Amino acid sequence: MRQKTKEDFPFSIQVGFKKVIDAYKARLTTEKKPLAKKYLKELLDYIEDFPELETGVEDLERLSDYEQPIITLLDDLFPDLLTENEIKAAAVPKTDIFLAISARFERILNEAGKNFELTPRNFDKQLDYVSGCVLILNTFYNYKIDFSRPIYYDIPNKEGIIKTYRLSVNADFIQFHKTDSAPKITDADVDELLLNPDDLKIWKEKFPPNSYIFKGFTLLNLTDITIDDGISDLKSELLNKKLPESTMASLIEIFRSIFKIPDLQIGFTLYDQANNKFVRMSQDKSSYINSFILDQDDCVNCPKALCQQGIDQLIEKKENFVIANVEQYATKTQHNLLAENLLAKGIKSSIFAPVARGNDLMGVLELGSLRKNELNRINASKLDDILPYIVMAVERNKAEFENRVKAVIQSECTSIHPSVLWVFEQEAERYISDLEKDGIASFRDIGFKDIYPLYGQIDIVGSSDERNNAIQRDLLSQLQIITKLVEKAFEIESIPIYEQIIFRINEFKKELKENLNASSEQRIMNFIYDELDPLIEHIYNNEESLRSEIDEYKEDLNSQSGVIYNHRKNYDDTVQRINRSLSRYLDRQQQEAQKMYPHYFERYKTDGVEHNMYIGAAMVNNKPFHKVYLYNLRLWQLQTMCEMENKFYSIQEGLPLKLDAASLILVFSSTLSIKYRMDEKKFDVDGTYNARYEIIKKRIDKAFIKNTEERITQKGKIAIIYSQKADELEYLRYINYLQKKGYLGEEIEKLELEDVQGVIGLKALRVRVLYHLPDEPNQIKFTYEDMMNEINP
């Protein structure tokens, strides 16, 4: 018997066996078998010497004095033939006293350890008190209140695996007696209690602590439901989360409890049916899922990953592929990739289960044990109850990934901006309705009238020159290296072809230094591919002393283009990083701008970042338009362009190449019509008159100031292009405001643009951008010239 614990409860406890004794007395009068009758009579005679067992033992400390008669009384309830199978105990409620216990239950508790406390899962003290009150209502007052709920115990075994048991309680041997402190319980009281199951204060008013006396004992029966509970936990884990986001530690514990293997390892691999290869579930380290098939790779072709038997079982038949002895499998397959991956992880037996819906294989669930034969074809059948939930989780993950792909395509590859999605949805609904009516439907053109356009760009100054310079330096570097290699080969073997090649290389180097255009670049590339590469390969095969230098040369070549790509890589990486950062910044700022008034927005990357915006009543559903929203958006655009100028230079900290930016904004005072062009999947101006706007956009960044050779776009400045006096006055107000806020310099240039084909009469305001340190936006401001002087004193 174990020591008891005392807790606040609606009844005090006396251990009594009156109902058991009464049952034996009743049997004695009806028993026909002589031996059984004799046993019952001797038992009752023996128990008469212990009257307190019938009336009730109030002092629980004295139960040890009655250990033998109690065991005798309960002998029929705990037969020896069942003691190794049943998980059963006669217990005293609200204590940890066991009056009798089966051998199996006692062994389970001993394996759990001395410090283990037998406490129900998610034990709620308040709910426990209410349960005691309901037990009194049902037993003493004969109500039939269903307050039953499953009670579970989580008990570790000697291997440390958590086993789950469901408790059932037999209350046939209990009685309640009312004390003087117990209030009278009426039907109205019961109605009030049932309306307030969570109000412990009311329950304690009706059932004060120790206001009733419990006499008797309870029988506890535990059932091992580890596998069922594990499957239930797995179901909850997978249904509530996406598979990569499921806590791998909890999934592993669930599988370990189901298979009763304390160090079981699990993995998962997706199957790409289109390309017949296995791919990793997630690249996110925070939700990393192990894969025995892939090991450290992100993807592997199926014929390389599996043996033919594995391909037949998993991919063709969609059946489990079981390797009960990995070492034997490795010998049989001559240590193929899968065998090597398993052995490297110490796996000695494994199961690979197909996660499939019909003939569609979506992935492979992987189990691995550190001991041979521990995973086998027999216990692989446990997966039959688990895989349906894995399938659902993978299908949901696949669907969500496809939705993400569609969202990226919607965001990055099409121009159906959320602000105008409503009109596309309306047209799609009409299209579907027409199709269902008579099977004939067409998607009509979508257009908007009386729309105000806004355009801006931040461009890399001299991007073509920078790119050509990078190409030139890389090609010169490559030709110089090849020249040295050929010269050394000529020293070893004086054949005329080497000398002739050196001459031709020098001719190309001279041409590169003087002028680089698309034609000369292509001729030099062809020369390298068609003549120099085969020559270098000849030297490599015939001149062993030059092989190490040729190997170094080959390491410098780009694996895709076959040429040196150092300076071009610096340029491309710098431009990509600038464009990516500016685009993300502009997208974030746009989210705030949309709150002013919904409008269409698109941005695209060139050698810099350009953006279009359209705003007007026709583009918004059920929201009135006022020109104040246009003014807000124009001011927002100018301020955002200033901030992007600052971003442009701060992004380049630590980059190998330094580039300059020039920004412009085009102000178009008239409204225009735009139409969604189905063939190009983008909005464009509609009509000949409106096409003038597109012509201006394409030509203004190359325009010169009238009667000069100076471009209107200059590094360190923003140019605002316009044609109407009203636009000039409007933007002078914005500039004045941003000057006060420290975005723009004091000097404002008013300029006229030289006429270009199809565009005349344009003017411009040009003003310096003020820059600040990235972490001090409100501190010292400086101009582009200040910045250059700091870099190049």
Side-chain angles (χ1 to χ4, degrees):
M1 297 181 188
R2 298 188 172 206
Q3 294 300 313
K4 67 185 180 72
T5 58
K6 293 183 179 179
E7 290 186 17
D8 189 25
F9 214 59
F11 52 78
S12 60
I13 294 171
Q14 294 180 19
V15 175
F17 300 89
K18 178 174 172 47
K19 284 197 170 185
V20 177
I21 294 171
D22 288 347
Y24 283 141
K25 288 178 180 178
R27 276 183 59 192
L28 181 62
T29 61
T30 59
E31 182 60 61
K32 303 297 184 184
K33 299 172 186 175
L35 288 177
K37 194 161 188 170
K38 180 181 178 184
Y39 167 75
L40 288 170
K41 189 175 185 310
E42 291 178 354
L43 173 63
L44 290 170
D45 291 342
Y46 171 66
I47 291 301
E48 283 183 356
D49 294 335
F50 308 99
E52 195 175 7
L53 293 182
E54 185 171 3
T55 60
V57 180
E58 186 173 356
D59 182 3
L60 302 185
E61 297 287 347
R62 295 185 57 239
L63 284 173
S64 58
D65 298 338
Y66 300 101
E67 184 172 356
Q68 192 55 48
I70 288 174
I71 291 174
T72 302
L73 271 174
L74 299 179
D75 190 56
D76 278 5
L77 297 174
F78 291 85
D80 289 341
L81 291 176
L82 300 178
T83 192
E84 291 293 338
N85 182 54
E86 292 184 331
I87 310 172
K88 184 176 180 180
V92 181
K94 304 310 296 176
T95 75
D96 57 2
I97 297 174
F98 292 146
L99 303 171
I101 187 170
S102 67
R104 183 181 176 190
F105 195 0
E106 189 165 32
R107 186 167 59 252
I108 289 171
L109 293 176
N110 288 335
E111 288 183 0
K114 294 180 180 180
N115 297 325
F116 175 75
E117 294 184 6
L118 190 64
T119 305
R121 180 193 296 176
N122 300 325
F123 176 74
D124 186 329
K125 188 175 181 180
Q126 175 171 313
L127 191 61
D128 195 44
Y129 193 97
V130 173
S131 298
C133 298
V134 173
L135 185 61
I136 296 171
L137 286 171
N138 289 344
T139 306
F140 187 78
Y141 291 100
N142 296 318
Y143 284 94
K144 297 186 182 301
I145 300 170
D146 184 5
F147 206 69
S148 60
R149 62 187 180 91
I151 299 174
Y152 301 99
Y153 289 94
D154 296 315
I155 306 175
N157 66 7
K158 60 184 178 181
E159 286 87 17
I161 295 175
I162 302 298
K163 307 276 285 181
T164 302
Y165 301 88
R166 184 178 61 241
L167 173 69
S168 60
V169 180
N170 185 329
D172 290 346
F173 303 102
I174 66 173
Q175 294 176 312
F176 280 104
H177 298 275
K178 188 177 180 182
T179 70
D180 294 338
S181 63
K184 181 181 178 181
I185 300 296
T186 65
D187 288 343
D189 292 327
V190 174
D191 291 342
E192 182 182 7
L193 291 169
L194 295 180
L195 285 173
N196 299 278
D198 299 324
D199 192 338
L200 187 60
K201 182 180 179 181
I202 294 177
W203 286 87
K204 285 192 173 183
E205 285 176 2
K206 310 299 182 185
F207 296 93
N210 300 319
S211 55
Y212 291 80
I213 298 172
F214 169 101
K215 285 189 178 182
F217 64 93
T218 57
L219 280 177
L220 309 181
N221 284 277
L222 270 64
T223 304
D224 186 346
I225 60 162
T226 301
I227 293 179
D228 294 338
D229 192 58
I231 292 173
S232 177
D233 288 346
L234 180 68
K235 177 181 177 181
S236 299
E237 188 77 22
L238 295 177
L239 291 182
N240 292 334
K241 301 176 183 178
K242 293 186 292 184
L243 190 60
E245 291 181 355
S246 297
T247 305
M248 289 308 298
S250 63
L251 287 181
I252 291 172
E253 287 304 317
I254 291 169
F255 275 98
R256 286 175 176 176
S257 66
I258 292 172
F259 280 86
K260 301 178 183 178
I261 300 175
D263 49 8
L264 181 74
Q265 298 183 33
I266 69 171
F268 189 84
T269 308
L270 286 176
Y271 174 65
D272 179 356
Q273 187 171 358
N275 298 297
N276 193 30
K277 65 182 181 180
F278 293 111
V279 297
R280 192 170 297 283
M281 183 77 181
S282 173
Q283 302 295 330
D284 185 354
K285 293 183 179 179
S286 63
S287 58
Y288 182 80
I289 294 182
N290 182 44
S291 170
F292 303 144
I293 293 175
L294 296 175
D295 193 30
Q296 301 300 316
D297 296 322
D298 290 329
C299 64
V300 174
N301 291 328
C302 291
K304 181 180 178 182
L306 296 177
C307 62
Q308 189 57 48
Q309 181 188 359
I311 292 173
D312 291 342
Q313 294 290 114
L314 283 171
I315 299 176
E316 300 299 330
K317 298 179 181 178
K318 315 296 188 297
E319 296 176 353
N320 292 336
F321 176 45
V322 180
I323 306 175
N325 188 330
V326 172
E327 292 178 349
Q328 190 179 78
Y329 172 78
T331 303
K332 181 180 176 182
T333 60
Q334 298 181 342
H335 286 258
N336 69 347
L337 181 61
L338 179 59
E340 287 297 302
N341 289 345
L342 292 172
L343 291 174
K345 294 179 181 294
I347 303 299
K348 299 296 178 63
S349 59
S350 60
I351 299 172
F352 297 88
V355 178
R357 176 73 73 188
N359 290 323
D360 182 16
L361 178 65
M362 295 179 287
V364 178
L365 175 67
E366 309 167 344
L367 305 181
S369 167
L370 304 182
R371 289 161 290 279
K372 72 175 183 178
N373 295 323
E374 195 165 43
L375 291 173
N376 50 68
R377 292 186 180 277
I378 295 175
N379 59 12
S381 62
K382 292 184 178 183
L383 292 174
D384 294 344
D385 297 322
I386 298 172
L387 284 174
Y389 304 115
I390 302 286
V391 169
M392 284 191 292
V394 173
E395 282 185 323
R396 187 174 70 252
N397 185 84
K398 182 179 179 181
E400 290 178 356
F401 179 76
E402 288 173 352
N403 288 337
R404 286 182 63 194
V405 170
K406 291 177 182 177
V408 170
I409 293 172
Q410 164 75 17
S411 172
E412 300 294 332
C413 305
T414 72
S415 297
I416 304 178
H417 191 264
S419 63
V420 294
L421 186 59
W422 63 274
V423 74
F424 284 87
E425 290 174 343
Q426 287 182 354
E427 180 59 21
E429 289 171 4
R430 185 205 60 79
Y431 176 91
I432 293 171
S433 177
D434 289 351
L435 196 64
E436 290 176 345
K437 284 178 183 177
D438 52 20
I440 300 173
S442 62
F443 205 94
R444 297 180 301 200
D445 289 338
I446 291 175
F448 302 99
K449 295 181 179 180
D450 298 324
I451 301 300
Y452 291 94
L454 295 89
Y455 171 77
Q457 73 171 42
I458 179 167
D459 199 24
I460 295 173
V461 176
S463 57
S464 297
D465 293 338
E466 288 287 351
R467 184 184 290 106
N468 286 342
N469 183 48
I471 294 171
Q472 182 185 52
R473 295 170 69 183
D474 280 337
L475 289 176
L476 283 171
S477 175
Q478 184 165 358
L479 292 177
Q480 186 63 33
I481 296 172
I482 295 174
T483 299
K484 291 181 179 179
L485 289 172
V486 177
E487 286 176 346
K488 290 183 178 180
F490 183 65
E491 292 175 2
I492 298 171
E493 185 181 9
S494 300
I495 57 176
I497 189 64
Y498 289 157
E499 193 170 18
Q500 189 263 346
I501 286 291
I502 294 171
F503 171 78
R504 294 188 64 198
I505 292 175
N506 289 332
E507 287 293 310
F508 277 115
K509 285 163 64 177
K510 182 180 178 182
E511 181 180 342
L512 263 177
K513 292 175 182 178
E514 291 176 353
N515 181 36
L516 175 67
N517 53 48
S519 173
S520 60
E521 178 188 352
Q522 189 58 53
R523 287 193 300 107
I524 293 171
M525 298 284 282
N526 291 339
F527 175 54
I528 291 173
Y529 294 149
D530 298 339
E531 299 187 48
L532 296 185
D533 285 351
L535 181 66
I536 293 297
E537 199 62 35
H538 167 78
I539 296 172
Y540 185 88
N541 293 330
N542 290 277
E543 305 297 345
E544 188 173 347
S545 61
L546 295 177
R547 286 182 182 175
S548 61
E549 293 184 49
I550 294 175
D551 285 336
E552 291 179 9
Y553 161 71
K554 288 181 177 179
E555 288 177 3
D556 289 337
L557 301 180
N558 179 264
S559 58
Q560 294 180 340
S561 64
V563 295
I564 289 178
Y565 183 61
N566 296 334
H567 292 95
R568 271 173 290 182
K569 185 176 187 304
N570 289 341
Y571 176 81
D572 290 342
D573 288 350
T574 301
V575 171
Q576 287 177 16
R577 179 168 174 180
I578 289 172
N579 285 350
R580 184 168 58 247
S581 298
L582 291 181
S583 296
R584 288 175 179 173
Y585 178 78
L586 185 57
D587 290 345
R588 288 195 302 269
Q589 295 302 103
Q590 248 295 301
Q591 293 174 9
E592 295 300 316
Q594 289 291 339
K595 296 176 183 178
M596 301 178 191
Y597 190 85
H599 57 277
Y600 179 84
F601 168 80
E602 65 179 356
R603 57 113 182 109
Y604 39 96
K605 305 169 190 173
T606 53
D607 282 338
V609 176
E610 302 178 37
H611 65 270
N612 286 317
M613 293 185 288
Y614 300 108
I615 186 170
M619 304 190 80
V620 180
N621 195 19
N622 298 324
K623 185 171 183 179
F625 174 76
H626 191 279
K627 285 192 76 172
V628 70
Y629 296 122
L630 171 65
Y631 302 147
N632 263 306
L633 199 56
R634 284 176 172 175
L635 176 57
W636 170 88
Q637 182 189 36
L638 181 56
Q639 181 173 321
T640 300
M641 293 290 288
C642 294
E643 291 166 347
M644 289 175 68
E645 277 269 353
N646 272 271
K647 279 275 182 188
F648 182 93
Y649 289 102
S650 64
I651 290 165
Q652 297 184 66
E653 288 293 328
L655 292 180
L657 190 64
K658 302 300 179 186
L659 301 172
D660 287 317
S663 299
L664 71 80
I665 289 172
L666 172 61
V667 184
F668 199 77
S669 56
S670 302
T671 60
L672 44 76
S673 297
I674 61 173
K675 181 184 288 186
Y676 187 80
R677 303 194 182 280
M678 294 295 177
D679 54 344
E680 298 180 16
K681 298 292 185 273
K682 62 175 289 187
F683 276 106
D684 203 352
V685 295
D686 186 28
T688 306
Y689 172 77
N690 295 322
R692 179 172 178 270
Y693 173 72
E694 290 295 328
I695 294 172
I696 295 173
K697 275 171 49 179
K698 288 180 172 62
R699 295 177 180 173
I700 51 173
D701 65 326
K702 303 290 191 298
F704 291 93
I705 298 172
K706 199 165 189 176
N707 301 323
T708 72
E709 295 296 321
E710 181 183 345
R711 284 270 183 89
I712 188 62
T713 53
Q714 292 290 313
K715 49 195 175 187
K717 297 180 181 181
I718 288 183
I720 302 166
I721 315 298
Y722 63 96
S723 60
Q724 303 295 321
K725 184 66 175 179
D727 297 330
E728 177 186 315
L729 295 176
E730 178 185 344
Y731 272 85
L732 284 173
R733 292 195 299 270
Y734 300 154
I735 291 170
N736 181 55
Y737 169 71
L738 293 178
Q739 285 173 334
K740 295 294 189 294
K741 292 191 69 175
Y743 283 94
L744 297 172
E746 291 298 321
E747 182 184 355
I748 302 174
E749 299 175 85
K750 296 182 180 181
L751 307 166
E752 290 187 35
L753 271 64
E754 197 171 77
D755 296 340
V756 295
Q757 184 180 1
V759 181
I760 59 174
L762 292 179
K763 300 177 183 180
L765 297 173
R766 199 166 66 180
V767 60
R768 293 184 185 279
V769 178
L770 294 184
Y771 300 93
H772 57 76
L773 297 176
D775 53 348
E776 297 179 356
N778 298 317
Q779 301 302 316
I780 300 173
K781 313 288 183 178
F782 48 88
T783 65
Y784 174 82
E785 287 76 16
D786 296 331
M787 186 162 51
M788 291 301 101
N789 290 334
E790 183 71 21
I791 297 172
N792 303 304

